[in-house]
Amino acid sequence: MIVFVSNFLNHHQFPVASILYEKTDGQYRFIETEPMPDWIKKGGYSEYENLPWLIRSWKSKETLTEAERLVENADVVVFCNNLFLPVIRKRLEAGRLTFDFGERWLKRGLVNLLSPRLLKAQYYYHRYFYNKPLYRLNSSAYAANDFKLMHSFKDKMYKWGYFTVVPDLDVERIIEVRKENPKLKILAVARFLVLKHPELAVQAAARLMAKGYDFEINMYGSGPEEERIKKLIKTLGVEDYVFLKGNLPNAEILKQMQSHDMFIFTSDKNEGWGAVINEAMGNACPVVGSDAVGSVPFLIEDGKNGLIFKSEDIDDFTAKIELLLQSRELREDFARKAYSTMKNIWSPLNAAESFLQLVGDLNQGLDSTVTFGPCSKAVPLK
């Protein structure tokens, strides 16, 4: 039996979960520790019901008891919060294979070491879990650096993430359709928050406009920074280049990814993973992504299947967009390779199969035999 413990089931976890249930002949359970927040429900995301493998420990005393029993006794447990730490201690003392998973802890630097949640997790790790069969699945390329600072999980970390559905696409048809765009179309999808740095798109637009490029940047989303961005668009005189489109259902956003020539993602290190990058690449849309985003060093090979710019560096960001504006050949090459990366490596299917391979390796006393992508070795970035 394999058990995943997380706060609530969402559309980034559902694909891998359903595949694992199928591939283990039903020997899989996903344990929720809290209800899905209303703000996520209002965003149009599904609240999953009546799944044979979903256990809602928050719903009743009986479901909590069942969850605790599974966490203690399952063959493999993957967990990401502190709720079951005493039970995790019992299973590790019994020598049962266990994984901690999640994003990075030190988004704000060493000040995060004062977090009560982190202090509790590290206390359990160093007091009870050290030298036990506990491993780490990192849903951020920077988590390995954080754990190195905390002297945790040395040589016991593996790549993980969020895995969105990758549709079956005719990439060549998408490339041909894009040729019909009257001007080059650049897409941004994010909430208007300080950490997302939407101002970078507007500033880059002003620079590219001054150089005479013909393009449009369509920004989807809403949030507290939206009014500031509207004013900046007017101040920089890019009203004919940058368009705020508001919110769209996710299915419509995916269609926009297929019709645009490139996707930009400008968040700083406070972004955990950034699953919208998965979606853009999985819809054959070349990405220009900030190097501080947790998924970017895992998903993008700079200059091979996309471009990476130095976080918050407007010069580097503009230069990378300009590179794609200048070269249709490069855009088309990235479109093919980005889609291949998601379809063949960072897909839910490959993540599930790689996880089962990792479990088999560790149970045989081996390190991971997965050489690339999910469940391959995670090491601190230089």
Side-chain angles (χ1 to χ4, degrees):
M1 177 68 75
I2 296 175
V3 172
F4 264 64
V5 182
S6 190
N7 49 2
F8 54 87
L9 181 63
N10 61 45
H11 64 296
H12 298 149
Q13 297 167 311
F14 177 84
V16 169
S18 59
I19 293 169
L20 284 172
Y21 179 74
E22 178 184 344
K23 287 190 171 291
T24 58
D25 295 322
Q27 295 299 299
Y28 173 88
R29 298 293 182 272
F30 187 102
I31 296 174
E32 283 187 340
T33 61
E34 63 186 67
M36 180 182 286
D38 287 337
W39 68 270
I40 292 182
K41 295 179 191 176
K42 291 175 181 176
Y45 293 109
S46 300
E47 184 179 14
Y48 299 94
E49 299 280 358
N50 302 318
L51 296 171
W53 43 267
L54 177 61
I55 296 172
R56 291 180 156 157
S57 66
W58 52 268
K59 206 162 191 177
S60 69
K61 186 175 181 180
E62 289 74 22
T63 54
L64 178 59
T65 299
E66 181 185 7
E68 290 175 338
R69 177 185 63 79
L70 284 168
V71 170
E72 183 175 354
N73 297 303
D75 301 294
V76 181
V77 164
V78 186
F79 72 100
C80 76
N81 57 42
N82 290 352
L83 182 63
F84 292 104
L85 283 179
V87 186
I88 295 292
R89 178 184 173 187
K90 289 182 182 180
R91 70 172 284 107
L92 284 171
E93 288 174 347
R96 296 189 176 100
L97 181 60
T98 309
F99 296 88
D100 178 20
F101 87 100
E103 299 172 2
R104 67 179 307 184
W105 277 102
L106 307 181
K107 291 179 181 177
R108 296 168 55 206
L110 295 179
V111 68
N112 286 124
L113 291 173
L114 302 176
S115 161
R117 286 179 61 248
L118 176 56
L119 289 172
K120 182 176 181 180
Q122 283 296 294
Y123 171 77
Y124 266 84
Y125 179 82
H126 289 286
R127 178 70 175 84
Y128 302 117
F129 299 166
Y130 196 76
N131 287 334
K132 296 291 194 298
L134 176 64
Y135 301 84
R136 170 77 182 184
L137 299 177
N138 287 342
S139 297
S140 170
Y142 297 98
N145 296 69
D146 292 353
F147 283 113
K148 181 180 180 180
L149 287 173
M150 295 184 284
H151 302 284
S152 304
F153 295 105
K154 183 179 180 182
D155 296 324
K156 298 173 77 175
M157 292 181 286
Y158 304 93
K159 295 179 182 179
W160 196 241
Y162 296 97
F163 305 95
T164 58
V165 173
V166 183
D168 292 322
L169 298 179
D170 183 343
V171 176
E172 296 307 316
R173 184 191 65 81
I174 290 173
I175 288 172
E176 287 303 311
V177 170
R178 285 177 183 155
K179 291 177 181 178
E180 299 173 4
N181 291 339
K183 60 178 68 176
L184 288 169
K185 297 174 66 175
I186 302 170
L187 178 65
V189 179
R191 294 189 68 204
F192 284 78
L193 304 173
V194 171
L195 72 91
K196 305 281 189 179
H197 294 284
E199 74 280 356
L200 290 176
V202 184
Q203 292 165 354
R207 294 184 174 204
L208 295 167
M209 176 188 70
K211 290 188 174 186
Y213 288 103
D214 192 18
F215 65 93
E216 64 181 46
I217 299 179
N218 295 308
M219 303 179 70
Y220 287 88
S222 60
E225 291 292 295
E226 189 170 356
E227 287 303 315
R228 182 173 72 90
I229 296 304
K230 287 180 181 178
K231 292 177 182 177
L232 184 61
I233 290 171
K234 187 174 182 179
T235 299
L236 296 182
V238 290
E239 297 98 324
D240 294 331
Y241 293 85
V242 182
F243 305 95
L244 305 189
K245 297 287 194 173
N247 294 310
L248 270 186
N250 188 249
E252 295 300 317
I253 288 294
L254 301 183
K255 291 179 182 178
Q256 293 297 323
M257 290 172 173
Q258 293 181 24
S259 69
H260 280 70
D261 296 285
M262 74 181 83
F263 182 86
I264 55 175
F265 199 70
T266 54
S267 295
D268 61 29
K269 65 181 181 180
N270 290 293
E271 183 77 53
W273 175 260
V276 70
I277 294 179
N278 296 56
E279 293 177 323
M281 294 176 67
N283 282 278
C285 192
V287 174
V288 177
S290 162
D291 68 348
V293 175
S295 65
V296 164
F298 281 177
L299 302 183
I300 299 178
E301 293 184 84
D302 189 36
K304 295 182 179 180
N305 66 349
L307 294 172
I308 301 174
F309 74 94
K310 184 173 176 56
S311 181
E312 301 181 59
D313 186 330
I314 185 60
D315 294 328
D316 193 27
F317 179 51
T318 306
K320 294 298 171 62
I321 295 175
E322 188 173 9
L323 192 61
L324 285 181
L325 288 175
Q326 292 173 340
S327 175
R328 171 180 286 177
E329 181 180 354
L330 194 59
R331 294 195 303 272
E332 293 176 357
D333 185 50
F334 284 173
R336 296 182 184 100
K337 290 177 179 175
Y339 180 74
S340 177
T341 296
M342 301 312 299
K343 190 68 174 176
N344 299 318
I345 301 170
W346 287 93
S347 67
L349 177 60
N350 191 55
E353 291 178 341
S354 296
F355 178 72
L356 294 175
Q357 182 176 335
L358 174 61
V359 167
D361 290 338
L362 295 175
N363 280 333
Q364 294 179 63
L366 304 173
D367 204 347
S368 179
T369 56
V370 181
T371 56
F372 193 72
C375 297
S376 62
K377 200 81 174 183
V379 297
L381 299 177
K382 295 180 181 179

